[in-house]
């Protein structure tokens, strides 16, 4: 039996790629790289005498491991399950026998599944399987800190695998290999792992629908099969949720809704996350200076829209970027320090693929002006800078500087503090964020501008008069790589 026929007899995923022996060799290389990075990670439990508990003492990881162990022993008390249950369900398989490493095989399998699915998507974009393998490995392993995010137990790791499988199945569907049951099942797995990422399943589903309508091959059975596939995972998950939380949202969902998303200051957020946060938080670095090839990946969003599969990938990446830039709690201060960069790990191979596709198109005899023009436009955008400037009287304010002895990072970052301006109360973490700076404390506004007179509460700011700042546009040279041993982790 041929490889293609054998793969169709399985899940249909492996049949989306060719040259299985190549996948095995590169998969073996990925497994070795993962194992080495896992065992060498300084935050692995037992690797540091100063912090022997390692990441098992971190907030996210401790709750994920508690939930996994509780599920393994059928303990359904809500106090034991903070986060969405999908990741813990996977870890529960290994928790009883590997309590300190319950997610080792889960994350390794997620990395390998994402790899196979990525190669499938790359092939549907016209890339040879060898190139797909090389692009994926360079994108995930080219930066040590970013590869560590595949190793550290985060729910974003299996989510990355699910997203790439969904894109692979959808790409095959667009080209006539239609599996609506599988499509619905995979799409429904996204919110079970990370509800926030549910919107990322939309481009794949809409893309399949539009292509089916265009080719007049949509049948009433297709949506029914997709719903049935979704029900295969949603129904048991829903039953587990009700058994734990009853007919209410979990505390995590309620807390996440309170923090929420905002389009206020989206341009500023893109600047400090992607380009240069130093003037605003006193340290750190942007993604583009750390990964300069992202310039080509971002520019590749534009020419990708000319073909269905690259367009689906580009739209998914763009929605992801807007979604997380709009997430109130994603700040440059925590991007490296608390490793919030893990929200983006699934996207880096996608941007790498778009970068290679752009270079290929730019070297082609025809149609090269669009990719070249996109690169020029992105480079020009990199010359725009947003710097803090003292605001004029009556001007809206984006930040406040308070002169006082500098507090510790956690003492300021998580302080029970608030501001009251002309429009109401702004609470630290939810609407503002206090950061320690060399001169004292800087308060960033997150959801709206600060207007009028301000009264501070907490952090010994009550009697102080702040310097009022706003974001000012400036033109300058694009930021160059400026990584230093401590710079990537933000202010200390």
């Amino acid at each position: 039996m041929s490889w293609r026929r054998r793969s169709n007899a399985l899940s249909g995923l492996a049949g989306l790629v060719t040259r299985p022996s190549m996948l095995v060799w590169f998969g073996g290389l990925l497994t070795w790289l993962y194992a080495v990075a896992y065992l060498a990670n300084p935050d692995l439990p037992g690797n540091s005498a100063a912090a022997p508990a390692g990441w098992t003492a971190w907030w996210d990881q401790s709750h994920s491991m508690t939930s996994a162990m509780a599920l393994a022993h059928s303990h359904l008390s809500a106090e034991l399950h903070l986060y969405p249950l999908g990741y813990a369900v996977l870890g529960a398989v290994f928790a009883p026998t590997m309590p300190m490493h319950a997610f080792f095989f889960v994350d390794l399998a997620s990395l390998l599944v994402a790899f196979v699915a990525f190669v499938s998507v790359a092939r549907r974009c016209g890339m040879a399987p060898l190139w797909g393998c090389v692009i994926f490995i360079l994108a995930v392993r080219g930066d040590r800190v970013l590869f560590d995010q595949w190793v550290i137990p985060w729910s974003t790791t299996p989510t990355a695998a699910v997203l790439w499988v969904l894109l692979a199945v959808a790409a095959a569907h667009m080209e006539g290999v239609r599996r609506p049951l599988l499509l619905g099942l995979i799409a429904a797995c996204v919110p079970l792992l990370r509800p926030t990422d549910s919107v990322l399943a939309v481009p794949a589903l809409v893309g399949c629908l539009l292509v089916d309508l265009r080719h007049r091959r949509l049948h009433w059975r297709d949506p029914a099969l997709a719903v049935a596939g979704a029900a295969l995972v949603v129904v048991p998950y829903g039953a587990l949720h009700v058994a734990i939380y009853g007919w209410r949202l979990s505390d995590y969902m309620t807390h996440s809704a309170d923090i929420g998303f905002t389009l206020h200051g989206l341009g500023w957020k893109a600047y400090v996350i992607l380009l240069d946060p130093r003037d605003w938080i006193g340290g750190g670095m942007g993604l583009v200076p750390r990964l300069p090839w992202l310039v080509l990946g971002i520019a590749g969003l534009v020419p990708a829209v000319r073909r269905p599969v690259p367009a689906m990938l580009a739209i998914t990446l763009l929605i992801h970027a807007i979604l997380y830039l709009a997430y109130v709690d994603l700040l440059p201060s925590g991007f490296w320090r608390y490793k919030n960069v893990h929200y983006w790990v699934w996207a880096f191979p996608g941007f790498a693929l778009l970068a290679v596709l752009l270079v290929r198109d730019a070297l082609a005899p025809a149609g090269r002006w669009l990719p070249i023009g996109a690169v020029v436009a992105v480079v020009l955008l990199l010359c725009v800078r947003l710097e803090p400037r003292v605001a004029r009287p009556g001007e809206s304010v984006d930040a406040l500087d308070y002169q006082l002895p500098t507090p510790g990072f956690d003492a300021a970052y998580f302080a029970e503090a608030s501001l009251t301006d002309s429009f109401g109360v702004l609470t630290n973490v939810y609407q503002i964020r206090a950061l320690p700076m060399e001169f004292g404390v800087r308060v960033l506004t997150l959801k709206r501008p600060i207007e009028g007179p301000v009264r501070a509460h907490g952090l010994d700011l009550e009697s102080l008069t702040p310097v009022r700042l706003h974001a000012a546009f400036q033109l300058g040279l694009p930021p160059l790589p400026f990584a230093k041993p401590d710079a990537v982790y933000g202010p200390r």
Side-chain angles (χ1 to χ4, degrees):
M1 180 183 293
S2 70
W3 164 256
R4 186 177 300 276
R5 295 177 65 183
R6 288 199 306 271
S7 62
N8 285 339
L10 297 171
S11 66
L13 173 62
L16 302 178
V17 296
T18 58
R19 301 181 183 273
S21 60
M22 182 185 303
L23 293 178
V24 171
W25 281 107
F26 278 98
L29 173 60
L30 264 180
T31 300
W32 178 75
L33 292 172
Y34 174 91
V36 170
Y38 186 92
L39 295 174
N41 191 289
D43 296 310
L44 179 72
N47 269 10
S48 171
W55 58 53
T56 62
W58 298 357
W59 180 265
D60 288 25
Q61 287 68 24
S62 63
H63 283 286
S64 293
M65 292 178 178
T66 297
S67 182
M69 185 64 75
L71 289 175
H73 293 92
S74 302
H75 297 320
L76 303 181
S77 173
E79 290 75 19
L80 299 174
H81 304 282
L82 176 65
Y83 287 115
L85 303 169
Y87 193 39
V89 167
L90 298 174
V93 177
F94 304 98
T97 55
M98 304 173 60
M100 301 295 284
H101 309 280
F103 296 99
F104 174 86
F105 290 110
V106 173
D107 293 342
L108 173 59
S110 298
L111 175 63
L112 295 176
V113 169
F115 162 64
V116 174
F118 173 87
V119 175
S120 170
V121 174
R123 189 171 70 87
R124 302 287 180 181
C125 293
M127 301 300 300
L130 175 61
W131 277 108
C133 296
V134 172
I135 293 169
F136 184 87
I137 290 181
L138 290 179
V140 302
R141 188 58 186 89
D143 184 283
R144 177 188 59 80
V145 173
L146 299 185
F147 190 61
D148 279 346
Q149 307 318 306
W150 292 89
V151 166
I152 298 169
W154 298 110
S155 63
T156 44
T157 303
T159 306
V162 170
L163 287 173
W164 278 111
V165 171
L166 177 62
L167 291 170
V169 173
H173 186 104
M174 292 177 179
E175 296 189 359
V177 186
R178 304 171 72 251
R179 300 183 181 87
L181 181 73
L182 181 62
L183 191 66
L185 186 152
I186 298 299
C189 288
V190 177
L192 309 189
L193 290 162
R194 292 190 58 80
T196 299
D197 292 353
S198 300
V199 66
L200 301 182
V202 173
L205 298 177
V206 172
C208 290
L209 177 63
L210 292 177
V211 170
D212 281 353
L213 290 173
R214 178 183 178 184
H215 292 285
R216 299 180 180 179
R217 63 191 185 196
L218 184 67
H219 193 274
W220 68 268
R221 290 193 301 266
D222 297 334
L225 287 171
V227 171
L232 291 176
V233 291
V234 170
V235 170
Y237 184 93
L240 181 60
H241 177 98
V242 171
I244 294 174
Y245 307 108
W247 298 94
R248 65 176 179 85
L249 293 176
S250 66
D251 292 342
Y252 166 81
M253 293 297 293
T254 303
H255 177 70
S256 295
D258 290 340
I259 293 178
F261 299 81
T262 180
L263 295 179
H264 168 74
L266 191 65
W268 174 84
K269 183 72 80 70
Y271 175 77
V272 294
I273 293 293
L274 299 178
L275 295 182
D276 189 356
R278 290 175 296 173
D279 289 340
W280 289 95
I281 68 169
M285 69 183 306
L287 270 176
V288 171
R290 189 175 183 98
L291 304 174
W293 56 264
L294 276 178
V295 172
L296 297 178
I298 295 170
L301 293 168
V302 177
V305 300
R306 296 182 295 184
R307 298 182 294 275
V309 175
M312 174 185 64
L313 173 60
I315 292 170
T316 306
L317 290 169
L318 184 60
I319 291 175
H320 170 270
I322 294 173
L323 176 70
Y324 277 98
L325 290 175
Y327 182 40
V328 171
D329 203 37
L330 182 66
L331 295 169
S333 46
F335 199 71
W336 304 106
R337 183 186 186 93
Y338 296 116
K339 308 185 192 301
N340 293 152
V341 66
H342 74 90
Y343 293 135
W344 295 70
V345 291
W346 88 269
F348 295 131
F351 280 113
L353 176 57
L354 292 185
V356 174
L357 292 175
L358 177 137
V359 172
R360 186 187 66 180
D361 291 347
L363 296 177
R368 67 176 59 179
W369 295 114
L370 182 59
I372 293 175
V375 173
V376 172
V378 171
V379 171
L380 290 177
L381 282 175
L382 296 180
C383 296
V384 176
R385 302 186 63 81
L386 287 175
E387 299 179 353
R389 291 289 184 267
V390 177
R392 296 187 296 271
E395 194 172 15
S396 297
V397 174
D398 299 306
L400 300 171
D401 282 352
Y402 290 88
Q403 302 279 342
L404 75 164
T406 302
F409 188 90
D410 289 354
Y413 205 63
F414 301 106
E416 293 185 6
S418 64
L419 297 175
T420 302
D421 69 353
S422 298
F423 289 96
V425 178
L426 301 168
T427 305
N428 194 38
V429 177
Y430 296 96
Q431 292 92 25
I432 57 174
R433 202 82 201 219
L435 292 171
M437 303 288 284
E438 290 183 357
F439 54 79
V441 170
R442 172 168 288 170
V443 177
L444 302 174
T445 182
L446 304 179
K447 289 188 175 179
R448 65 171 177 83
I450 297 172
E451 304 282 358
V454 174
R455 297 193 310 274
H457 310 276
L459 281 174
D460 298 325
L461 306 179
E462 289 84 352
S463 61
L464 302 178
T465 300
V467 176
R468 303 164 66 90
L469 304 174
H470 75 106
F473 284 93
Q474 301 287 332
L475 292 178
L477 294 175
L480 299 176
F482 51 85
K484 297 178 182 178
D486 288 336
V488 296
Y489 296 106
R492 294 289 180 175

